Amino acid sequence: MNKAKIAGLAYSVPDRVVTNHDLETMMDTTDEWIQTRSGIKERRWVEEGMSNSGMVLPACKKAIKDAGIEPEDLDAIIVGTVSSDYNFPGMAPMLQQQLGIKTNISAFDISAACSAFIYLLEIGNQFIQTGKYKNILLVGSDVMSCLLDKSPAGRATGVLFGDGGGAAVLQPTEGESYILSTHTYADGSGVEMLKAEAPGSIFYPNRIDSDIVAKGHHLPFQNGREVFKNAVVRMPESINVALKHNNLSIEDVSLVIAHQANYRILKTVAKRMDISMDKMYVNIHKYGNTTAGTIPIAMCEALAEGKFKKGDIIVLTAFGAGYTWASSIIRW
Ligand code: UT7
């Protein structure tokens, strides 16, 4: 069985910074509430006219270049997002076109919300392991700002999310730097706890109309406390499964990169794993929750900051809508 390495990795976030103070002027909220409850200080929002694929395209190009290949060398593009450019088709064929790829490769999207990037690693890893593909572009990216209710009524979710994405190129390797494991899970009993219903066939004969919009079914809803309670159990649980699977202990790990949804969640996970916050990467204060984007963005920044280096063991973990959750261990 082949092993897969991350040969290229990059991220893109919009230039436009939206601070908590900016949100105070739109929503019935305060900088103090947002920082205390979530750890977020600011986030990025795209400018009008910028779609998700346009935002993440520079990251795709950079990841491809870093992997030492041309776009035409890709065998597959797989995107994880909840904020695709169109309702359909998926964003992957759009990126194929924007990258100028003329060959008829495999290109599709998956919907696994905040856990999407680790789900993508699992799918990509399998394609490399079986020998089916040699160069796979994985993209985790969301433009959450176009999903949010930016009025006072939307403050419970409106302050938490931001825009951003990342891309990774997977390739086969015979070296010691590779994806050691992925574990992905779901528990559909959590479906109603974090969702945006419309456009959706549940509203048959339409998927979306003015009545559905007037009732706010297209806006994200979150039972924050329930999601929080599950996140702080499931992420440590899946990390422990991954450590055991690889015969490793948490002492062997250089850095834990967890989905950035809430600083308090990161602190609780660190406590439950009995690690100091030095081992838990944090950048939520800068970007908020970018859904499928948090893990690749955090990986890029942690690497640039020297938080891990070649040969180090890193753990990825995420939890989100579905519920879905996941972990992965990589030897860099
Ligand atoms: O990425 C996907 C996974 N998502 C997560 O992991 C998120 C998990 N959940 C959380 O991070 C937290 O539950 C939140 C940050 C969403 C909320 O924190 P909380 O401590 O659970 O607050 P709460 O929802 O229980 O709200 C507490 C109070 C409420 O007022 P009352 O009922 O106590 O009077 C809310 O109405 O805070 C109020 N509130 C706000 N106040 C000011 C809610 N949103 C805001 C706001 N500004 N933006």
Side-chain angles (χ1 to χ4, degrees):
M1 200 161 62
N2 295 325
K3 297 170 187 167
K5 68 170 179 186
I6 296 182
L9 183 67
Y11 76 103
S12 324
V13 290
D15 292 336
R16 179 179 165 205
V17 176
V18 178
T19 67
N20 292 346
H21 293 295
D22 294 327
L23 297 187
E24 286 177 342
T25 65
M26 299 176 213
M27 302 173 200
D28 179 18
T29 191
T30 61
D31 172 53
E32 202 258 329
W33 190 96
I34 302 169
Q35 284 211 46
T36 314
R37 300 283 174 145
S38 71
I40 301 165
K41 291 185 178 167
E42 57 189 42
R43 73 285 295 136
R44 305 294 179 96
W45 285 1
V46 295
E47 299 290 351
E48 209 178 317
M50 174 59 77
S51 68
N52 192 347
S53 67
M55 176 184 72
V56 80
L57 184 64
C60 298
K61 288 181 175 166
K62 183 165 187 306
I64 291 166
K65 193 163 177 240
D66 288 359
I69 58 167
E70 297 296 326
E72 290 283 344
D73 297 323
L74 288 173
D75 302 304
I77 302 173
I78 318 174
V79 175
T81 187
V82 295
S83 51
S84 191
D85 291 27
Y86 287 171
N87 199 18
F88 74 87
M91 227 167 82
M94 293 182 178
L95 285 169
Q96 175 195 14
Q97 193 194 29
Q98 289 169 27
L99 287 164
I101 299 169
K102 300 274 187 291
T103 45
N104 300 328
I105 58 171
S106 178
F108 61 95
D109 290 14
I110 64 152
S111 177
C114 300
S115 310
F117 195 74
I118 304 178
Y119 269 70
L120 291 175
L121 285 177
E122 174 148 293
I123 298 165
N125 196 29
Q126 298 287 314
F127 280 136
I128 299 283
Q129 283 177 333
T130 59
K132 170 102 180 167
Y133 297 137
K134 292 208 160 27
N135 291 296
I136 306 176
L137 179 67
L138 305 178
V139 181
S141 184
D142 273 297
V143 173
M144 296 305 291
S145 62
C146 64
L147 267 73
L148 303 174
D149 175 1
K150 303 183 185 88
S151 78
R155 69 178 187 175
T157 49
V159 302
L160 301 174
F161 292 95
D163 303 341
V169 172
L170 294 193
Q171 288 177 344
T173 180
E174 288 177 3
E176 286 310 304
S177 299
Y178 65 98
I179 299 168
L180 299 184
S181 67
T182 56
H183 289 88
T184 58
Y185 302 97
D187 172 6
S189 71
V191 162
E192 302 302 325
M193 295 297 127
L194 179 50
K195 59 179 180 178
E197 295 174 344
S201 55
I202 196 169
F203 299 108
Y204 190 88
N206 296 323
R207 300 189 73 216
I208 191 151
D209 60 29
S210 52
D211 184 47
I212 293 166
V213 171
K215 289 182 176 142
H217 290 300
H218 62 301
L219 298 168
F221 162 82
Q222 174 171 236
N223 181 333
R225 284 187 194 178
E226 276 307 309
V227 177
F228 190 110
K229 273 195 290 187
N230 282 277
V232 297
V233 171
R234 295 309 196 176
M235 285 197 280
E237 196 179 273
S238 68
I239 294 173
N240 282 326
V241 169
L243 289 171
K244 195 166 171 216
H245 177 88
N246 291 292
N247 220 357
L248 293 168
S249 77
I250 195 69
E251 285 73 39
D252 300 315
V253 173
S254 298
L255 193 67
V256 175
I257 299 178
H259 171 55
Q260 308 282 306
N262 188 318
Y263 181 68
R264 290 186 293 138
I265 293 178
L266 300 177
K267 256 174 73 176
T268 311
V269 171
K271 196 165 168 222
R272 293 197 169 173
M273 292 308 303
D274 204 15
I275 55 172
S276 75
M277 281 307 281
D278 292 347
K279 242 189 193 181
M280 175 68 71
Y281 190 70
V282 181
N283 65 0
I284 188 168
H285 51 288
K286 293 195 286 184
Y287 305 120
N289 181 348
T290 57
T291 306
T294 67
I295 301 267
I297 295 171
M299 286 175 79
C300 289
E301 291 206 325
L303 193 55
E305 290 163 22
K307 302 262 184 196
F308 66 95
K309 56 181 189 321
K310 193 169 163 55
D312 284 351
I313 301 282
I314 59 167
V315 172
L316 313 180
T317 186
F319 182 89
Y323 300 124
T324 55
W325 66 97
S327 68
S328 175
I329 299 191
I330 298 172
R331 189 185 298 113
W332 197 255

